[in-house]
């Protein structure tokens, strides 16, 4: 360890933590205020976009399904979901909460940098090199996961559930609170799910996980991921299921790529000779 590490007392660490929290809170407050100012525009053009037939995923799938007649039809120009508000203060509090979550999303790299600054003095030089890449790779994977959640998982799930009809006597109207909660949950959950390769790498560095685990349980993982994809998008057609399953399975294989290979097994005769 360096001299700085040895000299830092408990109160020095506490002071460093305090300033880390202060800078992080200031960044969140500033970006929340900025998000509040532009949220009305973003809400209509970004957050509410999956409610309309001209959403980018629907237009892409329309071209695909037109070329392949066996696939489900996504070319309905009349598709539109009305979002209603049934609570007096919901729109105001939704405005504030969505501004905060937007701030969390935009400041995520900076927040990770603040965490890195706080823990880096306690690390050796070779540890800093590894952890630096962990934060960098983890941040990128988080944003990729959020993008997959927004452009693929949420609109596919939302479209199926919003168009599913149990009875013709039921008028489908989606509440604002329900829409926003599902929107945030699926997007941020996908952001966390995309950290799976990073978690696997960390477990591999600790010696808990190796590549033989992924090879051994690949069939089980395929069944589990198919079940997870079916829960995320409870649609009856295989095309919608495949759209969610393949990104999840790709994460599984990427996780297997980042972990260490299993150590070679020592024959029993060699073990007996050593003893």
């Amino acid at each position: 360890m360096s001299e700085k590490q040895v000299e830092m007392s408990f109160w020095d660490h506490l002071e460093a933590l305090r300033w880390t929290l202060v800078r992080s809170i200031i960044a969140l407050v500033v970006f929340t205020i900025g998000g509040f100012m532009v949220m009305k525009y973003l809400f209509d053009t970004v957050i509410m976009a999956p409610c309309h037939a001209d959403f980018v995923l629907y237009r892409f799938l329309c071209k695909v399904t037109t070329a392949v007649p066996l696939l489900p039809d996504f070319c309905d120009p009349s598709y539109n979901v009305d979002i209603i508000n049934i609570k007096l203060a919901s729109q105001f509090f939704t405005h504030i909460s969505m501004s905060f979550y937007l701030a969390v999303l935009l400041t995520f790299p900076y927040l990770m940098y603040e965490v890195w600054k706080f823990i880096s003095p306690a690390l050796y030089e070779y540890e800093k090199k590894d952890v630096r890449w962990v934060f960098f790779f983890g941040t990128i994977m988080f944003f990729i996961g959020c993008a997959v959640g927004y452009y693929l998982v949420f609109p596919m799930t939302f479209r199926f559930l919003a168009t599913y009809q149990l009875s013709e006597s039921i008028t489908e109207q989606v509440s604002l609170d329900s829409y926003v909660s599902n929107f945030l949950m699926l997007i941020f959950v996908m952001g966390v799910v995309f950290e799976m390769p990073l978690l696997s790498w960390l477990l591999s560095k600790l010696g808990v996980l190796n590549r033989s685990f992924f090879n051994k349980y690949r069939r089980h993982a395929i069944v589990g991921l198919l079940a997870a994809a079916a829960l995320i998008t409870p649609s009856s057609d295989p095309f919608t299921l495949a759209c969610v399953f393949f990104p999840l399975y790709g994460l599984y294989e990427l996780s297997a790529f980042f972990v260490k290979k299993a150590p070679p097994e020592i024959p029993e005769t060699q073990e007996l000779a050593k003893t």
Side-chain angles (χ1 to χ4, degrees):
M1 294 187 178
S2 63
E3 294 181 1
K4 183 179 179 181
Q5 288 174 288
V6 176
E7 293 176 359
M8 287 185 70
S9 65
F10 169 78
W11 296 109
D12 293 328
H13 286 292
L14 196 62
E15 181 70 8
L17 176 62
R18 183 174 75 88
W19 281 107
T20 297
L21 293 175
V22 167
R23 289 191 295 267
S24 300
I25 292 172
I26 290 174
L28 285 172
V29 170
V30 170
F31 275 82
T32 299
I33 294 173
F36 189 88
M37 297 171 64
V38 300
M39 183 49 62
K40 287 187 176 181
Y41 170 77
L42 292 178
F43 203 86
D44 287 333
T45 59
V46 178
I47 298 173
M48 296 288 291
C51 295
H52 310 298
D54 60 348
F55 184 62
V56 58
L57 176 68
Y58 306 150
R59 288 189 279 111
F60 171 75
L61 292 178
C62 177
K63 295 179 181 179
V64 174
T65 54
T66 302
V68 184
L70 296 178
L71 296 179
D73 184 21
F74 284 88
C75 299
D76 183 10
S78 63
Y79 172 76
N80 185 73
V81 179
D82 295 323
I83 306 298
I84 63 170
N85 179 43
I86 58 176
K87 295 180 181 179
L88 182 63
S90 285
Q91 293 197 60
F92 175 70
F93 286 115
T94 299
H95 194 159
I96 295 176
S97 63
M98 294 302 290
S99 301
F100 172 75
Y101 285 113
L102 176 64
V104 172
L105 186 65
L106 295 178
T107 59
F108 187 77
Y110 176 74
L111 297 178
M112 291 298 98
Y113 171 72
E114 285 293 342
V115 173
W116 162 251
K117 278 180 60 179
F118 178 72
I119 68 171
S120 59
L123 301 176
Y124 294 102
E125 287 301 322
Y126 72 92
E127 292 175 326
K128 289 182 180 180
K129 182 180 178 181
D130 290 337
V131 176
R132 187 182 298 116
W133 283 107
V134 167
F135 279 104
F136 177 75
F137 182 72
T139 301
I140 292 177
M141 292 301 293
F142 176 78
F143 281 119
I144 293 175
C146 290
V148 171
Y150 174 75
Y151 286 105
L152 180 63
V153 176
F154 174 74
M156 296 291 282
T157 305
F158 175 73
R159 179 158 181 152
F160 171 78
L161 295 176
T163 56
Y164 183 84
Q165 192 172 32
L166 177 63
S167 171
E168 293 184 358
S169 62
I170 301 175
T171 301
E172 181 71 24
Q173 290 183 318
V174 182
S175 70
L176 176 63
D177 292 339
S178 176
Y179 181 84
V180 169
S181 62
N182 282 276
F183 179 88
L184 291 173
M185 180 189 69
L186 287 176
I187 289 177
F188 279 96
V189 162
M190 289 305 297
V192 173
V193 167
F194 267 65
E195 300 291 342
M196 187 169 68
L198 175 61
L199 177 62
S200 300
W201 180 84
L202 288 174
L203 293 176
S204 176
K205 294 288 285 185
L206 295 173
V208 177
L209 195 64
N210 57 58
R211 198 168 298 174
S212 63
F213 172 86
F214 292 90
N215 296 332
K216 181 178 179 180
Y217 293 101
R218 181 169 279 104
R219 294 180 181 178
H220 303 78
I222 291 174
V223 175
L225 293 175
L226 281 171
L231 288 174
I232 294 173
T233 56
S235 177
S236 57
D237 65 273
F239 177 74
T240 304
L241 184 69
C243 287
V244 178
F245 168 74
F246 283 112
L248 295 178
Y249 181 70
L251 284 176
Y252 182 86
E253 294 297 341
L254 187 63
S255 300
F257 174 78
F258 277 107
V259 301
K260 297 178 181 178
K261 294 182 179 179
E265 296 183 359
I266 302 176
E268 294 183 3
T269 55
Q270 294 184 17
E271 290 183 356
L272 292 173
K274 288 181 179 180
T275 56

